[in-house]
């Protein structure tokens, strides 16, 4: 692990993206939300992606300038065509706009097609929770098939993440999960380390369950199993189907329209205002009550109290803001590649405490 | 299995509920949606519940008359207090009202507190899909704790079902799943048959995984594991938490308010109009396209093509409407109990084909 000051990473990423062709505000937003992924511990969807995102801009596959096209717009709903603007810039704006709609209409729902890769959904949740609002993000990838429907040994669904943010009186609840037995980025992480997956998350082209990441990464036609796996995969499969309908279906832009769109995403963003349904203070009491009841449950292992989603991520964020951001060597390698290609000086790693010599 | 004509069961159930104290329209709606559960194959949440629902009315724990109280109402959102009106009557009206809102505002969201038990969520989905609308139903039970949060050996969450309906050009997609490793009703079914669960869906009070339904049913303090189980239960646990916040949180009525409310439910109903986000015809093309792609996936077992959620349920519904509704002997026993208590003649079972004598 290498440690960098968060501000140094933000400045570096913003400079790389600007040199790759992004307008200043687009470069700043993209850098901010990639870094936010790392801060929260979603390192597969953080600055590890900076080189790819910059390359998309430099190659003309992501737009560095221009506006989001508003396809439809009403008080409570909108549809946007991002036409390949960088995903982090688009996603953050969509959450902001959905918040504004929710404050007027009670709920705000925005469907987005053709955003470039949005990275970590968790990174956008606090935009809503800091305004006392609930948020739900669904994301799919029209050009990708990674997850098998239940009963199939062939991939169809994209690796669909699902994220939820809820304000409480203290730290917000932040949920960011895939609706499959693992995320594609995690399979790649295990493959890079030469390790087996901790459980059978894959199904091979011949229909065998597998823990071997190479059957997926090395093009042998394996698929990721939907959440629920061998026995209960019909549940994850149904949730994946829902997420593709809420994104590709409502935006009228799916696998037939976007087969060559690479990693670009379709998004469904929904924000709900507790003040439209009841008393905001009573909502917060309910959220606090559920958190307290979760934490009061007897843990299986008495040394591991039940955790509330987001708590550990937010602690890690605080710690990394104070003590520096941890990046693994693969990520540092990609930052160095970006530094070289776009002629930007690498940020300086923070000094490490001397290892003890005994 | 015993077979009854659907119309005979509907008339019988409506008469029982009316005699138990329900106003005619309330009795009719409750009978219709309980039967609809059986028609779709959700027999744990169909007429098996008629005796309980009638008893709640007769005992004054469900209201047979009166109106739903509108707590909040805006173009796109509302909050209702059902004050223990029968759940099927309330849920169907909530979906209808959310449809009306969605046609005006693009989306319609209704949160309901204190509905008596709503039975099968799947039964209400076609109200929306037949109008070309998408629907999402979330349900929780403030007085029940059945599902353990991830990492706990103690139940907290209620058995939270999650349902989704989507129109296509042919039969709609109907999803109705629990966010746990099994539903409480299914544990009871296995216990009644003296059988073990097909996978470890339970965690005992001492923290052991278990397939034995008696540890849950016979009051030994076991809990149902969240979807994802031992390894990935943090996903199901997060989804359960979301569902309790969307229902109890937004309605400001949770475990602290309703500890003595028995099986009464909190609901979140959301309907979305594809015409607000894009072209309705293009939405249908997207839904059809996803269905076709699912069906085209290579199945693990070549004799079992990949199924789309709801297809089998709707086929079963058609078949039972034509040939009669199948009820197991436990359900028939409960209908007989209702017939006796409320002095209504049992419907006549349909003749069975003579078994072959060889």
């Amino acid at each position: 692990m290498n440690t960098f000051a968060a501000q140094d990473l933000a400045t570096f990423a913003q400079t790389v993206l600007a040199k790759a062709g992004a307008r200043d505000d687009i470069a700043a937003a993209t850098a901010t939300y990639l870094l936010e992924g790392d801060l929260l511990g979603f390192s597969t969807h953080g600055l590890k992606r900076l080189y790819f995102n910059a390359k998309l801009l430099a190659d003309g596959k992501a737009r560095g300038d221009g506006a989001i096209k508003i396809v439809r717009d009403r008080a409570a709903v909108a549809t946007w065509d991002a036409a390949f603007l960088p995903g982090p810039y688009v996603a953050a704006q969509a959450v902001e706009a959905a918040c504004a709609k929710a404050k007027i209409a009670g709920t705000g729902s925005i469907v987005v097609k053709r955003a470039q890769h949005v990275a970590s959904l968790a990174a956008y949740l606090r935009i809503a929770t800091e305004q006392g609002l609930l948020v739900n993000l669904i994301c799919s990838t029209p050009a990708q098939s990674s997850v098998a429907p239940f009963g199939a040994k062939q991939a169809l669904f994209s690796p669909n993440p699902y994220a939820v943010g809820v304000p409480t009186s203290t730290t917000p609840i932040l949920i960011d999960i895939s609706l499959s037995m693992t995320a594609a980025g995690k399979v790649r992480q295990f493959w890079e380390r030469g390790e087996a997956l901790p459980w059978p998350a894959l199904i091979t082209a011949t229909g065998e369950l597998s823990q071997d990441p190479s059957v997926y990464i090395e093009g042998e036609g394996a698929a990721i199993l939907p959440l629920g796996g061998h026995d209960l995969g019909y549940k994850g499969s149904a949730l994946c189907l829902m997420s593709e309908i809420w994104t590709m279906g409502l935006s009228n832009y799916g696998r037939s329209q976007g087969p060559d769109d690479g990693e670009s995403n379709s998004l469904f963003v929904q924000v709900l205002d507790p003040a439209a349904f009841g008393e905001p203070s009573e909502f917060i009491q309910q959220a606090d009550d559920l958190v307290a009841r979760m934490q009061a449950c007897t843990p299986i292992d008495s040394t591991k109290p039940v955790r509330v989603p987001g708590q550990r991520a937010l602690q890690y964020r605080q710690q990394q803001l104070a003590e520096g951001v941890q990046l693994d060597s693969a990520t540092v390698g990609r930052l160095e590649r970006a530094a070289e290609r776009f002629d930007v000086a690498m940020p300086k790693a923070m000094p490490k405490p001397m290892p003890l010599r005994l």
Side-chain angles (χ1 to χ4, degrees), chain A residues 119-304:
Chain A
S120 161
L121 294 188
Y124 311 104
L125 301 173
R126 285 169 53 252
I127 297 170
T129 60
E130 288 185 351
Q131 301 179 55
L133 304 170
L134 284 70
V135 59
N136 178 6
L137 292 177
I138 307 175
C139 179
S140 67
T141 314
Q144 281 189 355
S145 289
S146 305
V147 179
F150 186 61
K153 55 186 180 184
Q154 182 187 347
L156 167 60
F157 301 124
S158 59
N160 297 335
Y162 181 87
V164 166
V166 178
T168 76
S169 68
T170 57
T171 55
I173 298 166
L174 304 180
I175 296 169
D176 182 355
I177 57 175
S178 66
L179 301 173
S180 45
M181 290 293 281
T182 187
K186 286 201 183 155
V187 182
R188 182 166 293 276
Q189 246 180 359
F190 278 90
W191 178 78
E192 283 170 354
R193 291 192 213 127
E195 289 173 18
L197 293 164
W199 50 80
L202 303 172
I203 184 158
T204 68
T206 54
E208 309 293 322
L209 297 185
S210 174
Q211 294 179 239
D212 176 4
S214 69
V215 302
Y216 178 79
I217 299 291
E218 294 174 11
E220 293 174 30
I224 300 173
L225 287 165
L227 177 60
H230 181 264
D231 295 321
L232 290 167
Y234 67 94
K235 299 191 185 200
S237 187
L239 293 170
C240 284
L241 177 61
M242 178 277 289
S243 85
E244 302 220 341
I245 288 167
W246 259 242
T247 51
M248 299 188 213
L250 287 174
S251 71
N252 299 173
Y253 191 89
R255 299 185 182 285
S256 301
Q257 287 71 36
D260 304 318
D261 288 358
E263 289 188 305
S264 84
N265 293 137
S266 297
L267 276 180
F268 176 84
V269 178
Q270 184 166 81
V271 173
L272 301 98
D273 183 2
F277 294 95
E279 290 301 320
S281 60
E282 289 183 29
F283 174 82
I284 294 294
Q285 277 175 31
Q286 293 291 336
D288 284 357
D289 183 61
L290 275 163
V291 165
R293 285 174 194 264
M294 275 184 85
Q295 290 172 324
C297 279
T298 313
I300 298 171
D301 174 343
S302 63
T303 66
K304 293 182 181 166

Side-chain angles (χ1 to χ4, degrees), chain A residues 108-128:
Chain A
S109 307
I110 299 184
V111 172
V112 184
K113 65 180 173 185
R114 302 200 302 170
Q116 266 299 0
H117 192 276
V118 300
S120 161
L121 294 188
Y124 311 104
L125 301 173
R126 285 169 53 252
I127 297 170

Side-chain angles (χ1 to χ4, degrees), chain A residues 37-99:
Chain A
D38 287 302
L39 288 173
L40 293 168
F42 290 84
S43 56
T44 54
H45 289 67
L47 287 168
K48 194 171 189 181
R49 297 199 49 92
L50 177 68
Y51 180 73
F52 298 122
N53 286 39
K55 197 172 172 301
L56 287 169
L57 285 160
D59 295 349
K61 289 181 180 161
R63 283 198 295 157
D65 202 358
I68 294 165
K69 188 182 162 199
I70 312 290
V71 180
R72 304 264 172 144
D73 194 63
R74 290 160 73 173
V77 303
T79 303
W80 290 1
D81 180 359
F84 308 110
L85 281 164
Y89 168 74
V90 175
Q93 278 196 74
V95 176
E96 281 289 8
C99 289

